[in-house]
């Protein structure tokens, strides 16, 4: 069965209704490295990526080879026919990229956060028909991501796409950048025709985890993958831990299971609607239970007010959390899920009690 896709025509023509694959090194380092990787990925990827200007979080790292690398990329196109992609962060980058036949420009996560920078790039791109991808901002802010997209759209750029690369987090987590899947899902619902690409390299920061994140993205109907690839990943000048060899890229891609975004068989539709009805009923019960729980929290708020007791009782909250994690485990519910669920419930109780206590 073919994938039912509402995507923009330019994208369907580019990807041929298969996931669009963008591969290549985090950074262009030397001409031979750029060309060798390109020959390694040319049968698997439609677009060749290489960072020429590298935004580094801390100074002192490799900041990219600069404009000279654009000439190496032109050589890639001449030898392999792949489309070329690089990151741009200023109007000057855009002008240089355009002058060197770069086909796809992407705006990096550290640039999307800055409306001035995005506007400068959008202005510099006016009148071109380049493909432009906008990565999510480093912080989990959907409006900022959409705002960047709208600035590009207002400049008349028609071939636009999103790249989801995860979000910074102060918490210690297994990924370099937290996926927060709900954010790209919300984006897809709002902009069904705009292609959404996943970047499992920057999400995981770890080549061992790329396969599973790439599969999850396809299961969520993402339209393509951007995977950092290097012939000697451990020796890469940036993002060494997350790059894969061209052989590994091939293995990852061939292990991916492509699923239909819709399946229209009768029996499937019937079964699905029964499951969904049950889910809807359970959701309604959850809401009712939450309402009852909040009413009790309000009563406690009134009691605390009468007795002049502080809203937050840290020991009680710790007890609740420990108990629920233990019970969650017995019921095979993940600890991270239980923790965030009860944090949200507890936050709401505290907010309501605070309101009650401070009410005149
Ligand atoms: C990159 O693609 O190499 C890069 C710097 O990405 P991000 O903007 O997602 O950090
Ligand atoms: Mn990188």
């Amino acid at each position: 069965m073919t994938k039912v896709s509402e995507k923009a025509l330019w994208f369907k023509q580019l990807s041929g209704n298969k996931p669009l694959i963008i591969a290549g090194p985090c950074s262009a380092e030397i001409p031979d490295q750029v060309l060798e990787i390109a020959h390694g990925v040319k049968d698997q990827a439609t677009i060749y990526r290489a960072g020429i200007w590298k935004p580094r979080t801390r100074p002192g790292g490799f900041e990219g080879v600069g404009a000279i690398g654009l000439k190496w990329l032109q050589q890639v196109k001449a030898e392999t026919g792949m489309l070329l992609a690089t990151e741009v962060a200023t109007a000057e980058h855009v002008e240089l990229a355009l002058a060197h036949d770069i086909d796809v420009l992407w705006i990096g996560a550290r640039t999307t956060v800055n409306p001035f920078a995005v506007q400068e790039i959008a202005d510099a791109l006016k009148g071109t028909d380049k493909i432009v991808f906008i990565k999510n901002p480093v912080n989990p802010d959907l409006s900022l991501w959409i705002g960047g997209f709208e600035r590009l759209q207002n400049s008349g750029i028609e071939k636009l796409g999103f790249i989801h690369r995860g979000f910074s987090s102060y918490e210690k987590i297994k990924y370099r950048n937290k996926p927060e899947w709900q954010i790209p899902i919300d984006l897809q619902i709002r902009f069904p025709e705009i292609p959404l690409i996943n970047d499992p390299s920057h999400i995981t920061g770890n080549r061992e985890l790329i396969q599973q994140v790439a599969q999850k993205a396809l299961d969520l109907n993402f339209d393509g993958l951007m995977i950092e690839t290097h012939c000697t990943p451990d020796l890469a000048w940036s993002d060494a831990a997350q790059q894969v060899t061209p052989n590994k890229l091939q293995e990852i891609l061939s292990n991916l299971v492509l699923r239909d975004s819709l399946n229209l068989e009768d029996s499937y539709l019937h079964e699905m609607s029964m499951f969904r009805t049950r889910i809807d009923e359970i959701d309604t019960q959850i809401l009712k239970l939450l309402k009852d729980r909040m009413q009790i929290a309000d009563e406690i708020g009134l009691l605390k007010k009468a007795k002049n007791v502080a809203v937050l009782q840290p020991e009680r909250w710790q007890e609740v959390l420990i108990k629920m994690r233990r019970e969650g485990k017995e019921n095979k519910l993940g600890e991270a899920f239980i923790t965030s669920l009860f944090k949200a419930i507890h936050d709401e109780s505290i907010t309501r009690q605070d309101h009650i206590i401070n009410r005149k």
Side-chain angles (χ1 to χ4, degrees), residues 26 54 202 228 239 242:
C26 177
K54 299 303 299 176
H202 289 91
E228 285 188 341
D239 289 352
Q242 71 195 33

Side-chain angles (χ1 to χ4, degrees), residues 72-344:
W72 311 343
L73 287 178
Q74 284 179 307
Q75 189 62 26
V76 166
K77 195 189 296 197
E79 292 188 19
T80 68
M82 274 189 282
L83 296 181
L84 304 173
T86 202
E87 173 173 348
V88 290
T90 64
E92 192 196 351
H93 294 167
V94 172
E95 277 145 29
L96 284 163
L98 295 180
H100 290 81
D101 309 317
I102 301 297
D103 307 282
V104 179
L105 296 87
W106 84 79
I107 298 182
R110 294 164 192 77
T111 305
T112 307
V113 290
N114 181 349
F116 290 126
V118 178
Q119 191 58 53
E120 177 183 319
I121 294 167
D123 290 342
L125 279 164
K126 257 195 193 126
T128 72
D129 72 341
K130 295 290 173 185
I131 297 171
V132 182
F133 285 115
I134 181 152
K135 286 194 166 199
N136 64 256
V138 281
N139 54 324
D141 184 339
L142 182 58
S143 304
L144 206 47
W145 199 0
I146 294 177
F149 169 81
E150 288 168 339
R151 287 178 194 281
L152 296 162
Q153 208 175 31
N154 291 344
S155 268
I157 299 153
E158 287 175 0
K159 299 179 187 162
L160 282 171
F162 294 112
I163 299 177
H164 168 233
R165 50 76 81 196
F167 302 89
S168 302
S169 161
Y170 192 57
E171 274 169 77
K172 267 235 151 312
I173 52 169
K174 74 171 171 174
Y175 295 130
R176 178 177 177 196
N177 291 294
K178 209 172 175 184
E180 310 271 18
W181 294 102
Q182 194 56 47
I183 294 179
I185 291 172
D186 287 345
L187 194 66
Q188 211 171 17
I189 292 168
R190 254 181 94 175
F191 299 97
E193 73 293 357
I194 306 297
L196 175 60
I197 309 294
N198 183 257
D199 174 346
S201 308
H202 289 91
I203 289 178
T204 61
N206 172 353
R207 66 179 74 96
E208 301 308 323
L209 300 174
I210 288 179
Q211 180 87 59
Q212 66 193 65
V213 169
Q215 183 64 56
K216 169 137 190 174
L218 294 192
D219 293 347
L220 292 173
N221 287 331
F222 276 66
D223 304 295
L225 299 167
M226 181 191 249
I227 300 183
E228 285 188 341
T229 314
H230 196 290
C231 291
T232 48
D234 286 331
L235 303 178
W237 297 2
S238 57
D239 289 352
Q242 71 195 33
Q243 302 205 57
V244 295
T245 61
N247 280 343
K248 182 73 187 169
L249 175 71
Q250 187 172 25
E251 185 188 315
I252 291 172
L253 296 178
S254 61
N255 283 337
L256 288 172
V257 183
L258 299 189
R259 306 193 207 277
D260 299 324
S261 62
L262 273 182
N263 178 325
L264 300 173
E265 284 164 38
D266 273 359
S267 61
Y268 160 83
L269 289 177
H270 178 69
E271 215 174 325
M272 200 59 167
S273 102
M274 302 220 313
F275 282 136
R276 288 195 168 143
T277 308
R278 282 171 56 199
I279 293 254
D280 289 348
E281 281 164 8
I282 293 175
D283 286 349
T284 304
Q285 287 173 24
I286 293 175
L287 273 192
K288 164 84 179 60
L289 289 171
L290 283 172
K291 173 176 156 257
D292 293 350
R293 192 191 192 283
M294 290 306 159
Q295 268 171 358
I296 299 176
D298 289 353
E299 302 281 340
I300 295 180
L302 287 169
L303 195 58
K304 284 178 180 165
K305 181 178 174 127
K307 303 288 177 200
N308 201 26
V309 174
V311 165
L312 180 63
Q313 299 290 317
E315 313 76 45
R316 164 71 184 151
W317 162 230
Q318 278 314 303
E319 269 171 42
V320 171
L321 196 56
I322 290 167
K323 180 163 175 288
M324 287 301 107
R325 280 178 178 157
R326 192 181 57 238
E327 288 183 21
K329 198 167 168 198
E330 286 161 14
N331 287 292
K332 299 205 166 25
L333 295 166
E335 182 172 316
F337 166 61
I338 291 296
T339 304
S340 54
L341 176 66
F342 279 89
K343 269 191 184 161

